[in-house]
Amino acid sequence: MENMSDKRKFVNGLIAGLLLAVLIVSATYAGREAVTAWKQHNKGTESDEAAVEVVSAKTMQKLQLIEEIIEENYALDMVDSKTMENGIYQGLVNSLDDPYSAYYSAEEMQEQQEKLDGVYYGIGAYVRLDTELGFARLGEIFQDSPAQESGLQEGDLIMRVDGQYTKDMSLEDVVGLIKGEEGTKVVLTIMREGEADTREVEVERREVPKQTVSYEMLEDHIAYIRITEFDKVTVDQFTDALATAKGSGMLGLILDLRDNPGGNLAAVIDVARKLLPKGLVVYTEDKAGKRQDYNCDGENELTVPMVVLVNEGSASASEVLAGAIKDYGKGKLLGTTTFGKGIVQKYLAMSDGSAVKLTTSKYYTPNGNNIHGIGIEPDEELEMDYEKYIEEGYDNQLERAKEILVTGE
């Protein structure tokens, strides 16, 4: 149980910055054709026309002038032209002042696609920072992964990656060094607790599905399923965990969505269809008021009591699921008020492989609630006792969830 709870620490604080997009839309935009299409789509509103006119002959002339000024006067090392070009596109999207909208170069979009799919090429282990020592440590080692096969262990301190000293590197940079093309090898120099010397471990990178679901059967036939985020791989992982729980005589379910930052809308809808009765799961509305309904046929409705653990780190797709469960009365929400992200982003891909992630609609729970900036209040408020958890490994929210399922109150 301790290992499962530790995972929450790895994702704490990542809520706003690392929310994954909930939909991918394929489109092809190129130059002036994109502007023309955008004008046609948004025809009729003065504010939208003004936004389109940002890209005009006047602004193009000014951009060229700024480029000449930089070339003639900038005293430090120049960045390459591609970086400057990307900066223009990023600046335009950033001017929306929307933390969920962004521009991605072709290379960045490829990395995003890995996140959306929940599959990457690496060694198969979580990595976290040891802030006291300034090095990254290996977290959970995935079953049947290259990391496990190479003898790496949870807690190993990563001193070097392919000879590159990693002290005071960001977590993102360390992970970037570890990941790579399928079939290539990476050498980790690690320090293991209880050993005086470092050891070098060579690991072959391969396709590794992200482990987004963990499962355990607790006492009294209470199943515990934790979902850390919603990716494409989550649906099969959740389906397997739920089937195992049912096959093991599950009499109650604790669904842990704490610190789940969200993810793929299609994935959370499919997960909801494993739990909910027939009816609406969620619906979205775009700027023109066009509504899209996402429904459940009710064929897999859960028949045992359920408690859903939520907190201020439960966001986006996890709020879609929690909100639907609450509206249908299919489970009791326990914990603290959720994050409050009730908007939807789409990736709009361009012909060169780059893309814009844009907020395109709002979503509503089955009862018509938009929780953006508000969050979802739990049925029972219970703050996490972090001091007791750190000192004793005692999860008071989890224990209360067990009590509710055993006693019915």
Side-chain angles (χ1 to χ4, degrees), residues 180-223:
E181 293 183 12
E182 185 176 20
T184 59
K185 295 181 179 180
V186 60
V187 177
L188 302 185
T189 304
I190 59 106
M191 174 68 77
R192 184 167 295 167
E193 189 174 352
E195 297 183 0
D197 298 322
T198 60
R199 61 167 73 187
E200 290 190 349
V201 181
E202 185 180 75
V203 192
E204 183 176 347
R205 302 178 177 104
R206 64 171 183 253
E207 185 178 289
V208 180
K210 190 185 298 181
Q211 298 297 309
T212 63
V213 177
S214 54
Y215 159 78
E216 184 176 348
M217 182 61 79
L218 307 177
E219 63 271 15
D220 299 311
H221 291 279
I222 295 173

Side-chain angles (χ1 to χ4, degrees), residues 71-105:
E71 288 178 354
E72 293 176 8
N73 298 280
Y74 188 61
L76 302 180
D77 292 337
M78 286 284 290
V79 298
D80 62 89
S81 59
K82 188 65 178 176
T83 300
M84 294 182 72
E85 182 184 337
N86 285 335
I88 295 172
Y89 308 142
Q90 290 164 354
L92 183 57
V93 179
N94 289 347
S95 69
L96 297 172
D97 197 26
D98 176 7
Y100 306 114
S101 293
Y103 167 81
Y104 296 98
S105 67

Side-chain angles (χ1 to χ4, degrees), residues 266-300:
V268 73
I269 296 300
D270 284 342
V271 167
R273 287 169 177 157
K274 307 291 181 184
L275 301 169
L276 296 179
K278 184 176 181 179
L280 188 65
V281 177
V282 69
Y283 68 92
T284 62
E285 285 187 0
D286 65 15
K287 65 186 296 182
K290 183 179 179 181
R291 172 169 164 162
Q292 174 72 53
D293 289 356
Y294 299 88
N295 297 302
C296 174
D297 59 19
E299 292 182 3
N300 300 302

Side-chain angles (χ1 to χ4, degrees), residues 7 123-126 139-149 152 206-211 213 237:
K7 292 177 196 172
I123 65 172
Y126 285 115
E140 181 191 5
I141 307 295
F142 299 171
Q143 189 74 23
D144 300 322
S145 67
Q148 185 185 62
E149 293 165 4
L152 291 169
R206 64 171 183 253
E207 185 178 289
V208 180
K210 190 185 298 181
Q211 298 297 309
V213 177
Q237 291 175 4

